[in-house]
Amino acid sequence: MKTHYKKIKNTNYVGSWDLLDSNGNVTDKKVTITKATQEVVHDGRGGEGNCATVHFKECKPMVANATNLKAIASMAASNFIEDWIGMQITLTVKKVKAFGEMHDAIRVKENVKLPIMKPEALPEAVKFIQGGGDINAIQNKYSLNSDQLKQLQDAKN
């Protein structure tokens, strides 16, 4: 099994190398957003700066550039980070030109857009959960905002 050299740097954030298998092939990763925030990130060269980060249930957080933030906002149909919580996205790797060279970059892959759950459909979804239904089944059918997700989680408990 081969290991990408960047994996041994013990980075705190997911990078393109984390989505490559031992043969260098891209393996997309489906993740669930737990929060988006701004935090101080060390650049590996002795510097640091405030960066947008997106945290996931399944793996390390991602330092999010404007391209990835816009993609998430578009898929969530909301520019508000609180509405992104619980949303599932897919991370992939794309070749991009930066600093005059081609580099592997982590990107948010455009998922199939799900219809947004209308408020009038929420009571039926709550009944489904209370009857033993699975929240994932609803999330696979509808895009939920953070309030809807919380109501469904509360109905499960």
Side-chain angles (χ1 to χ4, degrees):
M1 177 182 223
K2 295 180 181 180
T3 304
H4 194 287
Y5 75 92
K6 289 188 177 181
K7 284 188 178 182
I8 62 174
K9 290 174 60 175
N10 192 22
T11 180
N12 294 328
Y13 299 92
V14 67
S16 59
W17 53 88
D18 290 312
L19 301 180
L20 301 177
D21 66 17
S22 60
N23 295 317
N25 298 315
V26 175
T27 305
D28 291 351
K29 184 166 188 72
K30 191 170 188 177
V31 294
T32 307
I33 297 173
T34 58
K35 72 177 179 176
T37 189
Q38 184 183 71
E39 57 193 88
V40 175
V41 175
H42 299 279
D43 65 10
R45 297 182 301 270
E48 62 184 28
N50 286 326
C51 294
T53 58
V54 180
H55 294 249
F56 309 112
K57 186 182 343 181
E58 298 81 2
C59 68
K60 300 181 284 187
M62 169 180 74
V63 175
N65 61 12
T67 300
N68 287 331
L69 292 170
K70 287 177 187 176
I72 295 169
S74 173
M75 287 187 286
S78 175
N79 291 327
F80 299 97
I81 60 175
E82 295 80 6
D83 293 335
W84 302 355
I85 297 168
M87 189 175 130
Q88 290 192 322
I89 61 172
T90 302
L91 302 178
T92 193
V93 176
K94 298 282 184 189
K95 290 275 188 198
V96 299
K97 188 171 185 175
F99 311 107
E101 298 178 12
M102 296 302 288
H103 296 275
D104 285 339
I106 196 159
R107 289 290 183 253
V108 174
K109 188 176 188 177
E110 286 289 334
N111 292 339
V112 174
K113 291 198 178 201
L114 296 174
I116 295 169
M117 178 179 274
K118 294 182 179 174
E120 58 269 18
L122 186 60
E124 195 63 34
V126 167
K127 285 183 196 174
F128 173 74
I129 297 300
Q130 290 171 336
D134 184 20
I135 292 176
N136 288 331
I138 295 172
Q139 287 182 306
N140 289 334
K141 188 173 178 184
Y142 295 104
S143 177
L144 305 173
N145 66 34
S146 58
D147 290 335
Q148 291 169 327
L149 182 61
K150 183 177 181 340
Q151 287 182 47
L152 293 176
Q153 289 169 335
D154 290 346
K156 183 178 180 183
N157 299 329

